[in-house]
Amino acid sequence: MDCGIQVKDSVVEAFNLMKIVSRKSEQRRKFLCLRVSDDDRYVIVNEEFDNEEFDNVKKPSEDDFLKFLSYLKSDCCCIVIYDVCYETTNSLVKDDLVIVNWCPEKAPAKQKLQFASAINIVKTKLQGVKATLQFNSMEDVSRSAVAEKLGKDVVKVEGVKVEE
């Protein structure tokens, strides 16, 4: 289903900065929250969460996962690009970009339909994503759900052990 929504160039530019910035850098964007524009024509950066601050991502932090949760409102859909840090069973620490499509049950029906279509457009435009996650309620969101999409050998997400 194509809803006619397009991805603004500013979204692609912000995403590319997340990818391009040296992984050795301590300062880079950890999250990019997207929404549909008021005229229903574009996927844009959500200004409410875009304060141009870059997060210190040298060390994984449980606070990063909690900050991610703060982007998820109970009555509003959004797409969050999350630069998640995780550890594997052989003690390799990695970070990869994931797309989280958040469509809570309390969101307006029109908005849910828009995001169901917009997520495919976003995935096509934003190349270099490890995984896409779909969450519809806070009960769905967990470190283990994120770990499952990143690979079967993931034991920690943002420095915290994944519960089985």
Side-chain angles (χ1 to χ4, degrees), residues 2-162:
D2 184 2
C3 63
I5 294 175
Q6 298 176 5
V7 176
K8 276 285 204 185
D9 289 343
S10 58
V11 171
V12 176
E13 290 167 10
F15 174 76
N16 285 336
L17 281 176
M18 288 178 78
K19 286 190 333 183
I20 294 170
V21 173
S22 168
R23 294 296 181 200
K24 294 180 181 177
S25 172
E26 291 182 22
Q27 300 293 316
R28 69 177 183 269
R29 175 173 265 158
K30 184 85 172 159
F31 307 97
L32 182 62
C33 188
L34 309 176
R35 69 176 183 88
V36 173
S37 62
D38 294 337
D39 64 5
D40 298 331
R41 295 178 57 207
Y42 299 99
V43 174
I44 61 173
V45 175
N46 189 339
E47 305 84 19
E48 179 183 352
F49 297 107
D50 189 43
N51 56 13
E52 292 300 318
E53 282 185 28
F54 291 89
D55 300 298
N56 185 329
V57 291
K58 189 170 186 178
K59 294 182 181 176
S61 166
E62 180 175 0
D63 291 343
D64 290 334
F65 189 79
L66 298 177
K67 185 172 181 182
F68 160 67
L69 295 178
S70 74
Y71 288 89
L72 311 179
K73 306 296 180 196
S74 64
D75 61 349
C76 186
C77 297
C78 70
I79 295 171
V80 179
I81 312 301
Y82 179 9
D83 189 356
V84 63
C85 182
Y86 60 98
E87 186 176 326
T88 64
T89 52
N90 55 359
S91 299
L92 287 175
V93 176
K94 300 179 178 182
D95 57 300
D96 281 305
L97 296 169
V98 298
I99 296 176
V100 177
N101 189 22
W102 172 249
C103 284
E105 295 169 8
K106 292 182 183 178
K110 177 183 175 185
Q111 196 176 74
K112 288 183 198 180
L113 289 171
Q114 286 176 322
F115 276 83
S117 179
I119 189 65
N120 293 323
I121 298 161
V122 169
K123 288 191 303 188
T124 301
K125 282 286 200 177
L126 307 182
Q127 297 296 310
V129 174
K130 171 91 175 183
T132 302
L133 296 96
Q134 170 71 47
F135 295 129
N136 299 345
S137 72
M138 290 307 283
E139 289 79 31
D140 297 341
V141 184
S142 67
R143 290 176 202 275
S144 58
V146 173
E148 183 179 311
K149 284 289 191 172
L150 292 170
K152 62 181 181 219
D153 63 340
V154 175
V155 294
K156 289 184 181 179
V157 171
E158 299 298 352
V160 176
K161 186 175 180 178
V162 174

